[in-house]
Amino acid sequence: MCGICERIKETKDGKNPFLVKELETGYVVIGDFQHFKGYTLFLYKDHVVELFDLDIETRAKHLQEMTLVAEAVKNAFGAEKMNYECLGNGESGAHIHWHLFPRRAGDIENYGNNGKGPVWWYPMEEMYADSNRPGTEELEEMKAKLLCELDKLLK
């Protein structure tokens, strides 16, 4: 079972404290690490490797929902710009899932091109440091904020 499938099983079993909301094609979850405040994932419900493996209607619905989640993240966490990644080749396995990064000026400090560039120009050991894990109270606040914005957009 891939890492994303494991997370989805955890979610279905009610054991994923990062779950914000279930949508038709996927699960909205707050990221485990929050260097980029509001970092969120959108996990496709089924184990599918490529977007082009989805039938056209399902793909359109999934992309529409992912875009809606990104807008909600931007609204909830005050992003200046959103970054989108659909990689599926790391520890998590090849399973469609989106990394939605709210970006702000200075968020990669002096790394990259004078502090500008993609999130992966920031040192991984700092991005994934335990100090970037939200505490229980912070996590609940983040989930509530994002859920509120999602619900506004879904009306």
Side-chain angles (χ1 to χ4, degrees):
M1 182 181 295
C2 81
I4 299 298
C5 286
E6 287 175 11
R7 273 291 171 101
I8 289 171
K9 182 182 181 325
E10 196 177 89
T11 300
K12 287 179 178 178
D13 292 344
K15 297 178 182 173
N16 185 350
F18 297 90
L19 175 67
V20 175
K21 188 173 185 77
E22 178 179 357
L23 299 180
E24 186 179 324
T25 68
Y27 297 97
V28 179
V29 294
I30 295 290
D32 293 11
F33 297 90
Q34 289 293 313
H35 173 77
F36 299 93
K37 183 73 172 192
Y39 165 60
T40 299
L41 293 101
F42 186 48
L43 315 175
Y44 187 72
K45 285 184 175 180
D46 299 316
H47 186 84
V48 176
V49 175
E50 303 291 352
L51 282 170
F52 55 74
D53 290 334
L54 300 174
D55 65 71
I56 197 159
E57 294 83 16
T58 304
R59 183 180 336 134
K61 180 65 177 179
H62 182 65
L63 290 171
Q64 183 270 332
E65 286 184 340
M66 181 276 298
T67 305
L68 183 131
V69 173
E71 184 178 358
V73 169
K74 181 182 188 303
N75 295 343
F77 301 105
E80 296 168 16
K81 170 74 177 94
M82 289 299 299
N83 283 180
Y84 309 75
E85 290 185 342
C86 183
L87 304 173
N89 52 353
E91 281 182 29
S92 300
H95 180 135
I96 297 171
H97 65 285
W98 295 89
H99 299 263
L100 303 170
F101 291 95
R103 300 298 306 276
R104 294 166 198 83
D107 62 7
I108 63 167
E109 299 166 14
N110 290 320
Y111 296 98
N113 184 8
N114 295 317
K116 295 184 179 180
V119 296
W120 33 267
W121 283 2
Y122 192 74
M124 290 188 80
E125 64 275 4
E126 292 182 39
M127 189 184 320
Y128 298 115
D130 282 341
S131 60
N132 284 322
R133 286 185 181 272
T136 304
E137 188 176 318
E138 181 184 13
L139 178 60
E140 291 306 315
E141 288 172 9
M142 292 176 72
K143 287 168 42 178
K145 251 182 168 173
L146 183 52
L147 181 60
C148 179
E149 293 300 326
L150 272 170
D151 286 344
K152 285 180 195 175
L153 293 170
L154 287 167
K155 287 184 181 182

